[in-house]
């Protein structure tokens, strides 16, 4: 996250210097002065705790807002502050606003003050867990997400330059949604084109219908937020059992020890290992915003990673995504459950599928696991290898006449619903994601890779693939290749130029820039069909997806 910010603001700063040199106006000179090296350093603050975080912790965000912002934002008779009080946002949302106040309007504050203000604003004017829930993919920086936008006008007006979730992760009254529309027009007059403004009364829609629609969907005052503010926020100290996945690599599991670092700041010690035995351990720090938004940054073996997690209402589990700081498309699911307090839960069974008539070793990961193990009809435990409350390793056998389908895994009274699949022959293979994006890179901007996986499915009771009752068996080893997606791609020889498909399902795009060896000297972009071949018994199944290899993302703020 930090490095993306860095790049974003470095690029902007270079542009500012260039503009100022050309225009030479007083305003530009002032802008440049306020964007001095010191200020730019301040702009690269990160939402997870950093080296200077002890200073930020002791600062009072409320009084800094009162002093750093009051020269432009006046106090209102009701005790609030003009513009600032009448909206709620995620920590990332507040951080982006503060960055704009600094860069565009010249507000002055230090990185520690900025972090303290984000903490204060996200705590007092944040989103309730259920309000942020549908749009967490953007905070988690999940790649390849295709958004569902409920309203056509919102889609054409507000989700063409940035994600719809940037909008949906804010809460405002109508008047403030309208001011946001005005701000957009003032800041980016070309918005008329982006918002499909040439053939309709776009300004009328933008200034009347859009604020109304947004207030109805995302109002400032909600029951969810009122209730959340009243709820006691949980202390996260203690031992946690962790299970997660790195697509293309496999599952990992282990423990997380969380210690208080003052207030909502925590120190974390991870002791994790992958299914193949490779350890992935280390330390990290985190800040919990709004009582449930865990933002961590850790060093696990050679990887600098960030975690974006939600703490559950009862404070006993955390779930979300981790990703590499240097390449946030590389990452995976992360799930932690508290080991104390009599909590018991099955978090994962790995591997989660078993072929009828075969034996295998499986691990049941969870907390508070205690009691007899049952794996459902036709699956028997042939040997107990080891058992702790967090991990049970077993040798199991699926009878040759065991029925196809999902099994509930039960340890004592604790149940993992549909946690184990039994199958004899796969009916289909799907490539996930079905539609992926990779980006050419080089120089300032490294390439963005795309990870694909081949997932085996059963047809289910109706005997037809692609219907709701299909059974997801799990990720299968596959042989990977790419083909030109259509005639245009074939004519441009996209397969030859766009990059390389590796046998671990990772597509590594080619270098950016005009390529004189290509037709029209075009960039190494491409439109590819991704093909996975999966061996299944004596036969072979094939699945395919689509991959767009496109240009770099130059502007990469925390909420895309
Ligand atoms: C130098 C003047 C200046 C200072 C100092 C300043 N702001 Fe602003 N602020 C503005 C202007 C101008 C706008 C309206 C244009 C915009 O939204 O960028 C604005 C708008 C806002 C908004 C509404 C943005 C939205 O999403 O619609 C918020 C919130 C805000 N400021 C917060 C702050 C906070 C917090 C501080 C103190 C750290 C601060 N501002 C300091 C000038 C300033
Ligand atoms: C011309 C491209 C463009 C269009 C169209 C556009 N936006 Fe934005 N929007 C931006 C950019 C760029 C920013 C980042 C501003 C900054 O530097 O903080 C932004 C920021 C935002 C923010 C965050 C502002 C803050 O400080 O919290 C919200 C919310 C938002 N846009 C909503 C909307 C809505 C609603 C619409 C439709 C009415 C819309 N956008 C249409 C370019 C666009």
């Amino acid at each position: 996250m930090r490095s993306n910010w860095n790049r974003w603001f470095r690029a902007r700063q270079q542009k500012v210097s260039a503009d100022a040199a050309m225009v030479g106006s007083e305003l530009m000179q002032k802008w440049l002065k306020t964007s001095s090296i010191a200020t730019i350093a301040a702009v690269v603050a990160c939402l997870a705790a950093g080296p200077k975080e002890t200073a930020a912790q002791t600062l009072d965000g409320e009084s800094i807002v009162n002093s750093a912002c009051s020269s432009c934002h006046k106090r209102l008779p009701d005790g609030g502050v003009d513009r600032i009080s009448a909206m709620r946002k995620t920590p990332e949302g507040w951080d982006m606003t503060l960055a704009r106040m600094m860069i565009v309007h010249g507000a002055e504050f230090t990185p520690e003050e900025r972090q303290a203000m984000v903490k204060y604003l996200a705590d007092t004017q944040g989103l309730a867990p259920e309000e942020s829930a549908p749009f967490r993919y953007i905070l988690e920086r999940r790649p390849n997400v295709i958004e569902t936008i409920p309203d056509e006008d919102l889609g054409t007006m507000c989700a063409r330059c940035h994600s719809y979730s940037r909008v949906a992760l804010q809460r405002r009254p109508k008047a403030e949604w309208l001011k946001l529309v005005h701000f957009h027009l003032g800041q980016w007059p070309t918005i008329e084109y982006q918002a499909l403004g040439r053939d309709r009364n776009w300004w009328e829609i933008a200034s009347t219908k859009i604020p109304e629609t947004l207030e109805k969907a995302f109002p400032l005052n909600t029951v969810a937020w009122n209730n959340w503010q009243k709820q006691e926020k949980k202390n996260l100290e203690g031992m946690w059992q962790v299970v997660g996945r790195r697509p293309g690599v496999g599952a990992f599991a282990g423990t997380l020890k969380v210690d208080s670092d003052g207030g909502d700041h925590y120190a974390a010690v991870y002791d994790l290992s992958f299914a193949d035995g490779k350890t992935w351990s280390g330390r990290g720090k985190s800040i919990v915003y709004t009582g449930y938004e865990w933002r961590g940054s850790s060093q696990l073996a050679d990887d600098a990673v960030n975690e974006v997690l939600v703490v559950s209402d009862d404070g006993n589990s955390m779930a979300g995504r981790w990703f590499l700081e240097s390449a946030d498309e590389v990452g995976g699911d992360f799930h932690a459950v508290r080991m104390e307090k009599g909590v018991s839960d099955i978090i994962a069974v790995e591997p989660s599928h078993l072929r009828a008539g075969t034996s295998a070793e499986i691990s049941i990961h969870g907390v508070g696991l205690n009691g007899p193990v049952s794996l459902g009809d036709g699956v028997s435990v042939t040997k107990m290898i080891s058992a702790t409350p967090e991990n049970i390793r077993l040798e199991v056998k699926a009878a040759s006449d065991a029925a196809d389908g999902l099994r509930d895994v039960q340890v004592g009274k604790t149940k993992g619903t549909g946690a184990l699949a039994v199958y004899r022959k796969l009916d289909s293979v799907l490539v996930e994601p079905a539609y992926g994006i990779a980006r050419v890179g080089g120089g300032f901007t490294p390439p963005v890779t795309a990870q694909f996986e081949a997932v085996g499915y059963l047809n289910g009771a109706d005997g037809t693939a692609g219907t709701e009752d299909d059974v997801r068996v799990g990720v299968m080893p596959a042989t990977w290749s790419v083909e030109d997606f259509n005639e245009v791609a074939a004519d441009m020889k996209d397969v030859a130029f766009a990059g390389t498909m590796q046998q671990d399902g990772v597509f590594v795009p080619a270098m950016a820039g005009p390529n004189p060896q290509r037709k029209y000297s075009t960039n190494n972009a491409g439109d590819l069909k991704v093909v996975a071949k999966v061996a299944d018994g004596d036969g072979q199944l094939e699945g395919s997806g689509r991959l767009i290899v496109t240009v770099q993302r130059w502007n990469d703020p925390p909420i895309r």
Side-chain angles (χ1 to χ4, degrees), residues 89 97 100 157-158 161-162 166 170 180 184 188 191:
K89 314 184 189 197
T97 303
R100 185 168 77 251
M157 292 262 174
C158 306
C161 301
H162 50 69
R166 184 187 286 183
Q170 299 214 351
L180 180 73
H184 273 72
W188 302 288
I191 202 167

Side-chain angles (χ1 to χ4, degrees), residues 7-259:
R7 251 179 269 127
W8 181 38
F9 284 108
R10 210 177 312 124
R12 285 183 85 149
Q13 168 64 356
Q14 277 160 1
K15 181 165 181 312
V16 171
S17 316
D19 287 353
M22 268 190 309
V23 180
S25 72
E26 218 182 294
L27 188 69
M28 278 297 180
Q29 291 303 337
K30 180 166 171 269
W31 188 2
L32 193 58
K33 213 158 63 208
T34 54
S35 310
S36 64
I37 299 301
T39 330
I40 288 303
V43 166
V44 301
C46 178
L47 291 183
K52 298 215 177 130
E53 130 266 16
T54 319
Q57 262 165 273
T58 54
L59 294 176
D60 170 13
E62 182 173 11
S63 45
I64 302 164
V65 168
N66 285 335
S67 57
C69 320
S70 58
S71 55
C72 301
H73 293 273
K74 66 174 187 293
R75 232 182 222 283
L76 299 170
D78 68 1
V81 186
D82 188 34
R83 301 299 318 271
I84 301 175
S85 306
M87 58 188 73
R88 296 191 281 117
K89 314 184 189 197
T90 56
E92 283 80 1
W94 281 115
D95 202 37
M96 283 178 66
T97 303
L98 290 183
R100 185 168 77 251
M101 293 307 122
M102 180 188 288
I103 290 182
V104 177
H105 304 310
E108 291 182 22
F109 39 82
T110 66
E112 293 78 24
E113 288 172 334
R114 171 166 163 189
Q115 197 182 78
M117 284 192 284
V118 171
K119 180 77 175 79
Y120 163 71
L121 290 164
D123 284 353
T124 53
Q125 296 169 229
L127 262 59
E130 62 204 86
E131 291 177 321
S132 69
F135 306 101
R136 300 206 64 81
Y137 55 84
I138 206 84
L139 304 174
E140 295 170 349
R141 300 181 86 76
R142 283 189 191 264
N144 311 314
V145 175
I146 297 172
E147 297 192 291
T148 326
I149 301 163
D151 178 287
E152 197 185 326
D153 280 334
L154 275 185
T156 51
M157 292 262 174
C158 306
R160 289 166 68 85
C161 301
H162 50 69
S163 64
Y164 170 64
S165 38
R166 184 187 286 183
V167 184
L169 284 171
Q170 299 214 351
R171 298 293 182 273
R172 304 166 181 242
K174 194 165 87 187
E176 273 298 338
W177 283 117
L178 178 61
K179 280 184 178 143
L180 180 73
V181 172
H182 278 279
F183 149 71
H184 273 72
L185 182 59
Q187 191 82 20
W188 302 288
T190 59
I191 202 167
E192 178 166 1
Y193 304 104
Q194 279 100 339
L196 299 188
R198 302 313 301 271
D199 54 358
R200 56 179 184 163
N201 274 341
W202 77 280
W203 178 244
E204 197 181 310
I205 301 169
S207 58
T208 59
K209 188 175 167 255
I210 293 285
E212 273 162 30
T213 309
L214 287 171
E215 183 185 49
K216 220 179 265 162
F218 309 119
L220 179 64
N221 300 313
T222 62
V223 176
W225 177 242
N226 280 348
N227 290 345
W228 180 248
Q229 278 179 300
K230 284 185 218 137
Q231 191 150 329
E232 186 208 341
K233 305 302 181 290
K234 302 296 189 294
N235 182 330
L236 303 180
E237 283 175 283
M239 286 301 291
W240 300 70
Q241 177 71 11
V242 172
V243 172
R245 256 190 104 240
R246 177 166 179 167
V249 175
F252 59 81
T255 57
L256 159 63
K257 183 169 182 289
V258 177
D259 285 312

